Amino acid sequence: MREISHKSAYILHVRDHGDSSKIADILTPDFGRVSVVIKGVKKSSKKIGLSQPFSPLMVTWSGRGELKTALSIEPAGPPLMLKGNRLYCGIYINELILRLIKPFDQNPELFDLYHHTLQKLPHDSIEPLLRIFEKNLLELTGVGLMLESDIHGMPIDSLKEYNYRVDLGAEELVKGVHQGITVSGEVLLALRDEYFSRVAETKGVKSFMRAVVQYHIGGRPLRSRELFR
């Protein structure tokens, strides 16, 4: 059995496996998303503490199939203490990665994006942080947004309204014709620049990104959004 030793990781999600074990979906810089069995976790208070999301870890695992066996899990830093809405935001970020990233899709930039977003989550403004994460996550999965120009090559105009088709991009809105997501040029440019100067921009970007994310996850609801409600 191939052994992978001491790799940086974050746990994204944990579920029961048998009487005493759990399966953890972990994110690593070198191997992407990996599923590992943590044996005996229900009988060890130490393992229970290390099997929670939002803690930087060093993990060693072995196995040749898709489901690996964790041989050791060690802390690599203090756990991130998230409460209230910020905890729900962390769960949302984890769920997005689980839904959009395939297993073993190696992407060190994704790991860095996740790590830096988590570090900002306890104190930064939530809405801009989440929208920038969503935008950059889509970019890293190869389905980034087209925010510089419309489908005809014309620069996005902050004073215009657009139909945004996720598979094509923005096209100036024609009255009575709706073929995508209706969005203002102001919102598209705010998202491009990752700078939201007004409440209206922040709300507009949230509405736009919600529709885009829903498109990419196939319309299935996100469980983490139910927690917000």
Side-chain angles (χ1 to χ4, degrees):
M1 297 177 71
R2 186 186 180 198
E3 181 174 313
I4 305 297
S5 299
H6 293 91
K7 293 298 179 182
S8 298
Y10 279 98
I11 289 178
L12 300 172
H13 182 256
V14 179
R15 57 193 184 276
D16 289 339
H17 181 69
D19 294 333
S20 62
S21 303
K22 290 181 178 288
I23 294 176
D25 296 301
I26 64 174
L27 182 67
T28 72
D30 300 321
F31 294 86
R33 182 162 69 84
V34 182
S35 295
V36 299
V37 176
I38 308 174
K39 294 184 176 180
V41 66
K42 296 179 183 178
K43 299 179 180 179
S44 168
S45 58
K46 180 180 178 181
K47 285 186 177 181
I48 290 174
L50 291 175
S51 65
Q52 302 303 312
F54 316 124
S55 297
L57 303 170
M58 298 296 290
V59 181
T60 296
W61 71 82
S62 67
R64 296 189 180 278
E66 286 196 6
L67 183 59
K68 312 299 183 182
T69 298
L71 302 179
S72 69
I73 299 179
E74 302 171 8
L80 192 64
M81 305 305 293
L82 298 174
K83 297 180 181 179
N85 283 345
R86 295 182 186 272
L87 173 60
Y88 299 149
C89 290
I91 295 171
Y92 171 71
I93 288 169
N94 286 2
E95 187 176 9
L96 273 189
I97 292 176
L98 288 168
R99 295 282 290 270
L100 293 172
I101 303 298
K102 297 179 180 178
F104 305 107
D105 185 1
Q106 301 176 20
N107 196 330
E109 289 182 79
L110 171 60
F111 186 86
D112 289 341
L113 171 65
Y114 180 77
H115 171 76
H116 291 307
T117 302
L118 282 191
Q119 298 310 305
K120 295 176 181 178
L121 190 52
H123 48 76
D124 277 21
S125 180
I126 288 176
E127 289 297 335
L129 185 65
L130 290 182
R131 303 296 80 82
I132 292 168
F133 175 80
E134 291 166 344
K135 172 198 167 187
N136 290 326
L137 176 62
L138 292 176
E139 184 71 34
L140 291 174
T141 61
V143 292
L145 296 165
M146 290 158 279
L147 303 171
E148 291 284 349
S149 57
D150 65 19
I151 63 174
H152 303 295
M154 299 298 294
I156 297 294
D157 188 333
S158 64
L159 300 178
K160 292 182 178 179
E161 294 288 318
Y162 292 89
N163 272 323
Y164 193 97
R165 294 173 61 181
V166 179
D167 56 339
L168 293 176
E171 185 173 24
E172 188 175 347
L173 182 66
V174 177
K175 188 175 181 180
V177 178
H178 299 278
Q179 296 178 326
I181 306 166
T182 301
V183 61
S184 69
E186 181 183 43
V187 162
L188 295 176
L189 293 177
L191 187 58
R192 180 199 68 183
D193 298 336
E194 299 183 358
Y195 179 72
F196 316 136
S197 60
R198 299 186 301 110
V199 172
E201 285 179 1
T202 303
K203 289 183 177 179
V205 171
K206 179 178 181 178
S207 177
F208 174 71
M209 287 305 302
R210 173 167 289 192
V212 171
V213 168
Q214 203 64 39
Y215 174 90
H216 285 297
I217 63 174
R220 290 185 298 145
L222 287 160
R223 293 182 179 179
S224 50
R225 282 185 181 156
E226 296 300 321
L227 294 178
F228 278 104
R229 297 194 183 101

